[in-house]
Amino acid sequence: MMTHELVEDRVQIPPVSDGLSEQRIAYLEKLVVQARTAAAVFTQFTQEDVDRIVKPMVLAGLDHAQPLARLAFEETKLGVMEDKVIKNMVATEFVYNYIKDKRTVGIIREFPERNLVEMAEPIGVILSITPITNPTSTVLFKCIMAIKTRNAVIFSPHPNAWRCCSKAVSIMLETALQYGAPEGVLACLESHTLQDNAYLMGHKDVRLIDATGGPGAVKAAYSSGKPALGVGPGNTPVYLEKTADLSMAVTDILLSKTFDNGTICASEQTAVIDDEIYDVVLKKFAELGSHICDEKETELLARAVIDPKTGFMQPMAVGQKATDIARFAGVSVKAGTKLLIAPIQGVGRAHPLSVEKLFPVLAVYRARSVEEALKVCVDVNHAGGLGHTAVIFSRNDEVIHKFSELMNAGRILVNSPGSVGAVGGVYNDLVPTFSFGCGTGGGNSTTDNVNIYHYLNLKRVARRTQSHMWFRVPNQIYFNMNAVENLHQFPSQSTVIITNPALERFGHVDIVRRHIPAGTHVHISVIPDAEPEVKVVMQGVEALTFYKADQVIALGGGSVIDAAKIMKLKYESPEADLQELAAPFLDLRKRVIQYPTEKVNRARLIAISTTSGTGSEVTPFAVLTDKDRGCKVTLADYSLTPDVAIVDPQFVMSMPKGLTADTGIDCLTHALEAAVSSYASPYTDPNAMQAIRLVFKYLPIAYEQPHDEEARSMMHSAACIAALAFSNASVGVNHALAHAFGARFGVAHGRANALMLPHVIAYNASVPTKFLPSPYQKGYLAHRKYATIADLLGLGGRTIEDKVKNLVAATERLLDQLGFPSSIADLGISREQFERAIPDLTKLAFDDPSWRSNPRMPLMSELAELYWKAYQGRSPVRAESESQPQTWLQPTL
Amino acid sequence: MARLAEQLKIDEGRVVEALQAARERLDRVEGEMVLDFSSVRRIDPCALRAMEELADTADHQGVKLVLQDVNVAAYKVLKLVKLASRFCFAS
């Protein structure tokens, strides 16, 4: 049990083992070698072997509880012999009761739902410093813990408790050896010097220092550079609140404070008593054998038991009887007086008795209010008791809670005695211990009741887990010519159509209106044909609110549909903060910001796409421009996904050639990136592959023969199918590069994608400089996925390398066919201009969340290199083979 | 007559005795001595001491000690007491 070690307190253990004779060093070395050997041999023991040894040790400890207590009392002249018997029994029986069924070998805990198990690894050799106040009980406790955990311990007892500790160790060792423990597993220093401790603390084969002693020993342990379990002193406040059961409180405090003459450091030091019950409490204490000191007696007592220079208790008082202390102080008390009670008016150096007193002297303070009482308890806690123990007697849960919040203590005991309560297993379900961790407040490494788990290295065996994946798409998708007719299925009181001026001019809005069920109030909201701005969105929200819309139809390309998604979000949840919702995230399931689920309005969103590229009609993404703040806001959440998507090619029959090419390549990029994404799944792969197949087959036709209904229809579906894939698998580095480049040089998104695409395929297919963590994939698959795509397209090739090259070449041919510029230079951007832009482009591309699912993690230098390749032009395969060959992944992968 | 390799089976019930016997035979061995540990389930402190003595003598006489079929738990013990580096291991 942790106490002030008054002798050692004032003597720092020297940092080095100065002054040790060669003979002494040889002796210490021998001890360590024996312990190390024993610990090594012990690693072969099973749980059954260990448990077979521990039980007889516990029984031997119980058998010797009284003789060891007597020996300790005679040697240390501290405490109460009968109480030391109880301590020895608690250290064996109670500790055993806690550990007997605990696993300490092999798997000790399993968490199947987390695919995780904890396994035990012994520590090895432990140096254990034990105190004078609880000598044999601490030794018995630590011997049992060590054997249960397959460790070897070298004990360094307090010099004034060496005989009793040595005897306790020999009883434990003898029994352990009898039941098969390795020889040398427990040892006790034959005598004790501070140099011995310093030598052993610094020894390379001593793995842990478990110091239960005074601050000097604890500090030395922590200063040794070794892992240490040093547990510090206390100064336990006890608050008697007016609702407390006073008879129980007084009896418990008396029991606790007189147990072993107050040597347990968790015992109460200052009782803070509510004014209303103060007199009654003191009367009860007096009735049960306490002496209440008057002002003069309190002063005499303070002078006798507190060192005026240091402010700490006098060593000679520790563990002495109340009557002996009173006699020494010159205070006259009745024979048989158990406890001296000294009223104080404050805490601190001006009130000497407010410090820790490991003897039967209790300071008491009369508090005029709960607030005052709590403040005084905080003062006591901070006067040397941080991290240790605090006690409250109360029936008021609110006060108990407040007290617990205020106290910095590893143990906060409610309606139970401090000393016996803190030990655990008697008055509560705390882990039984003889070593109280005091946390950082007490300069310790733990606030726990030190136990077997502190004598183990826990190994966590974490098996690979795969988070749940998903495939989330709109409830309904209608496709093929005249799919818009399906609008009649959706009843509505008030529908708002969001569209742009051109579509209204082309008569598309009229087509839509014709299919809305009769009786629906239909309102048109025309927005500019450009990436939506916050202002435009808010105007739309006003319209939805004004018309009390229960249905929103977005008729247009990506910009219109994105605008409608955000309007719906703000209409349903006006409090939603778009900037906050745009906060970056790595994993959708772990994102910090959650989208609102509470809605003040509800509206169905039907998206009718009029371009064949973005796939916004089925995606959970929306982008808008915040002109006031000068930035883009990208929103991503499945709650943004439209409820219904209508993919009707009649709306794209008149798309101009340039737009057909741009949006078509955007679609191809979506599909290619989704196919190799680290989030790709068997649910997204078929969509990605099918979209790629459709693009290669139908995009050139749709481009050359715009009125070819089949080609238009298939491309319109391809865009939607690719979006189903990338909505769930996301995109990659191509999009990151294109976003930054497009924004900087005002190049359309599809066109920007096209400039990067062949280079990115070649990049992803080569051996990554850096892999991206991807628990969803078993190995690097990008090159194989590309090869599969090449096979699907019938591009030929024998090896994976050939197939990837053929895919790159086919992509280049398609881009040529669609009239895309072959390089950034072809756009009229000068080399100097581009060179100046590269640092910013690279940073922006790296910040873009799109590449987070790219199979290969891009380095910034690689992003720059990709930009330069795009600047120089297509044919990356040829360029690579001519200059510096790529390291292509081999088919064996 | 000197032989290049000597092979000894170590019996779990008599590990220390077997190691002592091996030590006594070291002066008749040239090259290496192979100790078959396949039947040894556990090593105790006495066996470790005997192994250390054997290793000392073998070093002195320039004999290579090969421990055959040491189980992994016993191998870990030899690592922990820093004896593993003094032997060669074979299976």
Side-chain angles (χ1 to χ4, degrees):
Chain A
M1 219 166 283
M2 173 58 233
T3 63
H4 261 305
E5 289 309 289
L6 297 170
V7 177
E8 284 190 346
D9 275 353
R10 290 159 186 79
V11 186
Q12 286 292 315
I13 292 178
V16 290
S17 49
D18 294 342
L20 279 179
S21 67
E22 276 183 27
Q23 198 180 4
R24 189 66 183 174
I25 289 174
Y27 162 72
L28 295 173
E29 281 295 327
K30 190 178 163 198
L31 273 186
V32 174
V33 168
Q34 278 179 348
R36 188 185 74 182
T37 305
V41 168
F42 222 170
T43 61
Q44 302 168 106
F45 283 44
T46 65
Q47 186 72 63
E48 292 69 30
D49 294 334
V50 164
D51 291 343
R52 207 175 299 126
I53 303 166
V54 168
K55 190 174 180 183
M57 286 174 70
V58 170
L59 291 172
L62 281 167
D63 268 353
H64 290 83
Q66 196 186 128
L68 286 174
R70 188 176 297 282
L71 201 57
F73 178 70
E74 287 169 359
E75 187 180 6
T76 64
K77 300 183 174 52
L78 301 182
V80 179
M81 201 281 284
E82 291 84 350
D83 288 340
K84 289 190 185 298
V85 177
I86 300 295
K87 282 190 197 175
N88 288 341
M89 296 181 80
V90 169
T92 47
E93 182 180 282
F94 280 51
V95 169
Y96 181 68
N97 185 57
Y98 171 72
I99 66 172
K100 65 181 178 188
D101 298 322
K102 301 273 188 301
R103 288 199 60 85
T104 49
V105 179
I107 293 175
I108 61 170
R109 278 191 289 243
E110 293 183 78
F111 307 94
E113 71 286 357
R114 296 166 60 200
N115 245 345
L116 201 72
V117 296
E118 285 181 352
M119 297 188 76
E121 177 77 21
I123 284 167
V125 179
I126 298 171
L127 171 65
S128 179
I129 295 168
T130 57
I132 186 172
T133 42
N134 309 291
T136 55
S137 49
T138 305
V139 166
L140 294 174
F141 164 67
K142 291 186 177 182
C143 285
I144 292 164
M145 284 217 301
I147 299 300
K148 179 74 179 179
T149 50
R150 299 182 298 166
N151 289 301
V153 181
I154 299 170
F155 283 96
S156 172
H158 190 281
N160 296 339
W162 178 81
R163 271 193 307 127
C164 62
C165 288
S166 175
K167 182 69 182 168
V169 173
S170 71
I171 290 166
M172 291 286 99
L173 177 61
E174 209 172 286
T175 312
L177 292 178
Q178 198 183 332
Y179 286 86
E183 63 182 66
V185 75
L186 300 172
C188 184
L189 285 173
E190 279 170 5
S191 58
H192 175 94
T193 66
L194 298 178
Q195 283 78 12
D196 287 344
N197 276 357
Y199 185 83
L200 291 172
M201 281 182 186
H203 198 289
K204 64 180 173 24
D205 288 331
V206 171
R207 301 293 181 190
L208 175 76
I209 300 158
D210 180 9
T212 310
V218 172
K219 192 174 175 191
Y222 282 121
S223 306
S224 68
K226 287 279 167 61
L229 279 172
V231 294
N235 189 20
T236 302
V238 51
Y239 178 26
L240 278 83
E241 194 264 341
K242 55 182 172 288
T243 62
D245 179 329
L246 299 186
S247 294
M248 181 176 82
V250 169
T251 310
D252 280 0
I253 294 169
L254 201 53
L255 173 155
S256 173
K257 191 63 191 166
T258 59
F259 188 77
D260 209 17
N261 281 343
T263 51
I264 297 184
C265 53
S267 62
E268 297 80 353
Q269 306 300 333
T270 297
V272 181
I273 307 167
D274 274 350
D275 184 44
E276 298 89 330
I277 57 169
Y278 184 86
D279 295 330
V280 182
V281 167
L282 260 53
K283 188 165 174 264
K284 281 183 182 291
F285 269 121
E287 284 169 3
L288 291 175
S290 303
H291 175 84
I292 315 297
C293 297
D294 59 23
E295 203 176 326
K296 175 77 182 158
E297 289 171 335
T298 299
E299 202 184 317
L300 286 171
L301 195 57
R303 213 175 290 157
V305 298
I306 304 297
D307 183 336
K309 285 185 191 151
T310 64
F312 292 120
M313 59 188 154
Q314 293 282 13
M316 61 78 195
V318 172
Q320 304 306 310
K321 286 183 198 164
T323 47
D324 290 345
I325 291 171
R327 191 174 60 250
F328 180 76
V331 175
S332 173
V333 298
K334 285 182 198 163
T337 294
K338 298 183 184 77
L339 181 66
L340 305 176
I341 291 184
I344 56 172
Q345 274 67 51
V347 176
R349 286 301 288 267
H351 310 278
L353 288 171
S354 62
V355 297
E356 185 184 38
K357 308 166 286 294
L358 294 179
F359 38 81
V361 171
L362 178 71
V364 291
Y365 181 92
R366 183 175 205 139
R368 265 67 188 180
S369 66
V370 171
E371 198 68 13
E372 186 190 350
L374 292 173
K375 278 181 186 159
V376 175
C377 289
V378 168
D379 286 342
V380 175
N381 186 224
H382 282 252
L386 283 178
H388 206 293
T389 303
V391 181
I392 182 169
F393 286 91
S394 172
R395 290 187 178 109
N396 184 330
D397 284 342
E398 206 180 312
V399 175
I400 292 169
H401 180 76
K402 197 159 186 188
F403 179 81
S404 306
E405 275 202 326
L406 289 165
M407 291 300 105
N408 177 351
R411 285 142 295 276
I412 294 166
L413 307 172
V414 180
N415 297 324
S416 49
S419 59
V420 189
V423 168
V426 186
Y427 281 84
N428 49 50
D429 203 29
L430 288 174
V431 176
T433 192
F434 276 74
S435 201
F436 303 120
C438 295
T440 55
N444 304 166
S445 58
T446 177
T447 54
D448 288 346
N449 277 9
V450 172
N451 61 74
I452 45 172
Y453 296 113
H454 297 99
Y455 271 26
L456 285 174
N457 288 310
L458 290 186
K459 303 182 284 192
R460 277 101 190 164
V461 183
R463 289 174 189 275
R464 188 180 180 122
T465 57
Q466 213 177 43
S467 305
H468 296 160
M469 291 183 76
W470 60 84
F471 187 73
R472 297 176 67 170
V473 296
N475 284 337
Q476 299 166 63
I477 302 171
Y478 297 94
F479 54 93
N480 280 350
M481 194 59 84
N482 297 321
V484 71
E485 289 170 10
N486 287 284
L487 280 176
H488 76 269
Q489 298 181 47
F490 302 104
S492 163
Q493 296 289 320
S494 174
T495 292
V496 173
I497 299 174
I498 314 289
T499 190
N500 64 38
L503 296 170
E504 198 179 25
R505 265 197 323 275
F506 294 158
H508 290 347
V509 174
D510 293 334
I511 296 171
V512 168
R513 286 188 75 147
R514 275 204 295 277
H515 298 292
I516 294 172
T520 307
H521 293 281
V522 179
H523 317 279
I524 317 292
S525 179
V526 179
I527 64 172
D529 186 16
E531 197 164 84
E533 290 174 34
V534 171
K535 199 173 90 184
V536 170
V537 166
M538 293 318 294
Q539 283 167 355
V541 174
E542 277 174 33
L544 298 184
T545 309
F546 181 78
Y547 293 119
K548 295 186 171 56
D550 57 12
Q551 180 165 276
V552 180
I553 296 176
L555 174 67
S559 303
V560 167
I561 297 175
D562 281 4
K565 288 175 182 175
I566 303 169
M567 287 174 194
K568 184 193 174 206
L569 168 71
K570 286 290 286 180
Y571 171 59
E572 292 185 333
S573 307
E575 300 302 316
D577 179 336
L578 298 182
Q579 280 294 338
E580 187 183 279
L581 293 178
F585 62 88
L586 193 59
D587 186 329
L588 197 63
R589 289 157 301 201
K590 293 171 184 164
R591 69 192 305 173
V592 179
I593 300 299
Q594 296 297 316
Y595 274 61
T597 49
E598 295 203 359
K599 297 178 177 179
V600 297
N601 299 303
R602 283 188 184 274
R604 180 191 303 124
L605 175 59
I606 299 177
I608 305 173
S609 52
T610 60
T611 58
S612 306
T614 69
S616 183
E617 67 276 12
V618 294
T619 68
F621 312 115
V623 182
L624 84 163
T625 300
D626 188 338
K627 278 204 168 163
D628 291 343
R629 300 187 195 201
C631 62
K632 275 189 180 187
V633 179
T634 302
L635 301 177
D637 190 78
Y638 284 99
S639 65
L640 295 172
T641 308
D643 303 292
V644 179
I646 292 178
V647 186
D648 187 338
Q650 71 174 301
F651 297 112
V652 292
M653 295 301 293
S654 56
M655 259 206 305
K657 282 183 91 169
L659 188 59
T660 301
D662 283 355
T663 54
I665 288 303
D666 189 24
C667 161
L668 177 63
T669 311
H670 290 154
L672 281 166
E673 296 213 287
V676 297
S677 156
S678 58
Y679 282 88
S681 74
Y683 290 79
T684 57
D685 280 353
N687 289 291
M689 300 289 179
Q690 177 68 345
I692 293 163
R693 199 181 66 81
L694 292 174
V695 171
F696 271 93
K697 183 168 180 186
Y698 290 105
L699 180 55
I701 304 171
Y703 180 77
E704 296 294 346
Q705 302 162 47
H707 300 296
D708 186 310
E709 197 177 303
E710 187 190 2
R712 285 294 197 189
S713 180
M714 287 301 168
M715 272 311 298
H716 209 33
S717 285
C720 180
I721 294 168
L724 294 176
F726 89 85
S727 293
N728 295 281
S730 195
V731 285
V733 77
N734 204 104
H735 268 75
L737 293 164
H739 285 153
F741 172 72
R744 174 73 177 244
F745 291 102
V747 176
H749 178 60
R751 188 155 291 235
N753 271 330
L755 287 162
M756 313 294 165
L757 194 54
H759 309 285
V760 168
I761 296 171
Y763 170 76
N764 281 338
S766 56
V767 177
T769 313
K770 215 165 169 48
F771 289 96
L772 196 63
S774 174
Y776 311 105
Q777 307 290 345
K778 291 179 178 169
Y780 196 74
L781 298 173
H783 57 306
R784 297 174 70 170
K785 286 280 190 75
Y786 287 136
T788 305
I789 293 165
D791 286 343
L792 183 77
L793 298 174
L795 299 177
R798 208 170 45 81
T799 64
I800 286 183
E801 182 181 344
D802 288 346
K803 290 174 183 180
V804 174
K805 284 181 178 174
N806 290 344
L807 176 63
V808 172
T811 306
E812 289 177 332
R813 280 196 301 276
L814 178 65
L815 297 174
D816 289 344
Q817 219 174 334
L818 298 172
F820 281 103
S822 72
S823 68
I824 292 174
D826 286 354
L827 296 174
I829 298 167
S830 73
R831 176 171 280 274
E832 293 70 31
Q833 200 183 353
F834 194 63
E835 193 160 17
R836 276 199 305 277
I838 279 282
D840 283 347
L841 288 178
T842 306
K843 280 183 209 157
L844 284 169
F846 192 80
D847 281 345
D848 193 294
S850 304
W851 68 256
R852 308 283 194 265
S853 46
N854 196 65
R856 175 176 177 172
M857 181 174 171
L859 299 177
M860 292 179 84
S861 59
E862 291 173 341
L863 293 173
E865 199 179 327
L866 281 166
Y867 273 129
W868 275 118
K869 284 183 174 170
Y871 186 85
Q872 283 152 5
R874 289 207 276 274
S875 298
V877 177
R878 280 195 301 279
E880 286 299 339
S881 60
E882 283 159 13
S883 56
Q884 197 178 359
Q886 290 262 21
T887 312
W888 295 90
L889 283 162
Q890 295 307 305
T892 47
L893 288 172
Chain B
M1 187 179 151
R3 283 177 291 170
L4 280 178
E6 175 92 10
Q7 179 135 8
L8 278 175
K9 175 100 176 160
I10 309 294
D11 176 22
E12 177 162 58
R14 304 180 64 254
V15 177
V16 174
E17 292 86 338
L19 291 169
Q20 280 166 352
R23 191 176 160 209
E24 282 158 18
R25 290 167 72 167
L26 276 175
D27 57 357
R28 286 181 280 151
V29 175
E30 277 183 11
E32 67 180 35
M33 175 181 268
V34 178
L35 303 173
D36 179 357
F37 268 69
S38 59
S39 66
V40 179
R41 202 171 52 91
R42 277 187 187 173
I43 300 178
D44 66 13
C46 298
L48 287 171
R49 270 196 298 276
M51 289 179 82
E52 190 171 9
E53 286 165 5
L54 177 65
D56 288 344
T57 310
D59 281 352
H60 186 68
Q61 297 186 3
V63 176
K64 178 180 166 187
L65 290 171
V66 179
L67 307 189
Q68 192 165 356
D69 292 334
V70 175
N71 74 49
V72 72
Y75 179 74
K76 184 175 173 181
V77 173
L78 296 174
K79 291 293 280 187
L80 287 168
V81 297
K82 300 179 174 67
L83 264 180
S85 59
R86 304 190 65 183
F87 300 95
C88 295
F89 293 87
S91 55

